[in-house]
Amino acid sequence: MNINKLSHAYIAAGAQADQIAMAAVCDSLDNKPCGTCPHCGKVSRRIHPDIAEVAPTGREITVGQVREARRDAYIMPNEAARKVYIISPADTMNTSAQNALLKVLEDPPPHAVLILKTDSPQALLPTVRSRCVTLRSVPEFNEAENSEAEAMADDFFEALEGSDIALVQIMFKLEKELTKEAFAEFLTYARSRAAAALRNPDLSAQARYSRAERVLARAEEFCDFNVGTGHIAGLICAELI
C-alpha cells in the first residue's frame, strides 16, 4: 500500500490502522512511515499529541464522544502536519454516533485523518462505509501483486480521463490478470485516488471523480460479499461509460 497519498478516512484492521496513523504524521518525504523520525517515535510510544483514540466508555462509543472528536478535528495540529483520530473498535459506535461522524466525513478539514479501526466493517452503516477507504487484511501479503494493483489503478485513472474504449480495455485487463485479492487492492488504491482528486477546484473534474468514487465504493461492497471480479468490472464499466 502506498500511504504517501493519504485519504481523509479509512476503515482498517489493527496493524493497518496503526501504520496509517504513523504515516499521517511522519516527517519523511517518502517511504512513510519511516519509523525513525521524532513523530514516528512518539507514535510508537503512544505519546504523540496529534493522535487521539476514541474508545468505548462502557459498551459503546457514544454520540457525545464523536461530537467532541468532531469539534476537535477542526482545530489545527500541535506538532505534525495532520491530526489523526483512531476510532476503535469502530463497530461499537451506536447509530447516533455514526450519523454524527458523517458530518466530518462529508466535510473533512484538510489536516484531519479519521481511522475507523475494526475487524467487522459490515457492522458500520453503509453511509459511513461509502465515505471511507476500506483496507482489507490479506492473509499473505504479495508485494508483486500489490505493486501491480497500484499500477493498474494509475492505468484506470488514465482511462477514466480518456475514451470509453480505453476504460473497457483496462477493466477487461484487470479481470483477467489480477487475483481476487489484488483486485480488491486495486479498488482500494483507485478509490483513494478518487477521494484525493475531489479536492480539485475544477468543478467538472470534481463531478467526474465524485461519480467514480461512488462507483468504486459500491464495487468494494460487492467484493465484501464475494461477488466475482468479472461482474464487478462489468458494473464499473456500466456505471462510468
Side-chain angles (χ1 to χ4, degrees), residues 39-154:
H39 288 299
C40 286
K42 288 186 178 182
V43 175
S44 297
R45 299 193 303 274
R46 297 188 177 276
I47 58 171
H48 201 292
D50 292 317
I51 295 183
E53 184 165 343
V54 181
T57 55
R59 298 180 60 183
E60 63 183 15
I61 294 173
T62 66
V63 64
Q65 289 177 274
V66 171
R67 285 173 178 165
E68 182 178 353
R70 190 179 67 195
R71 286 191 295 269
D72 188 72
Y74 289 92
I75 301 172
M76 294 299 293
N78 292 291
E79 296 180 5
R82 296 183 178 92
K83 296 178 77 171
V84 181
Y85 297 86
I86 303 174
I87 302 176
S88 175
D91 52 277
T92 64
M93 282 189 291
N94 60 38
T95 301
S96 296
Q98 292 190 54
N99 284 326
L101 187 67
L102 281 175
K103 293 185 178 181
V104 71
L105 291 176
E106 292 168 347
D107 184 25
H111 56 263
V113 177
L114 288 92
I115 304 172
L116 279 60
K117 189 174 179 179
T118 177
D119 291 322
S120 305
Q122 292 302 319
L124 299 172
L125 296 175
T127 47
V128 170
R129 295 201 309 270
S130 68
R131 288 163 175 80
C132 302
V133 173
T134 300
L135 301 181
R136 296 168 181 80
S137 297
V138 180
E140 293 184 3
F141 180 76
N142 185 317
E143 186 173 353
E145 282 191 349
N146 191 265
S147 298
E148 185 180 8
E150 187 171 7
M152 290 266 192
D154 292 335

Side-chain angles (χ1 to χ4, degrees), residues 209-229:
Y209 289 118
S210 177
R211 183 182 179 193
E213 198 275 337
R214 289 195 302 271
V215 171
L216 291 166
R218 286 187 60 202
E220 284 191 322
E221 291 184 6
F222 280 117
C223 259
D224 289 338
F225 289 104
N226 294 317
V227 177
T229 56

Side-chain angles (χ1 to χ4, degrees), residues 25-36:
V25 298
C26 179
D27 263 346
S28 177
L29 297 179
D30 51 20
N31 297 321
K32 297 176 181 284
C34 68
T36 58

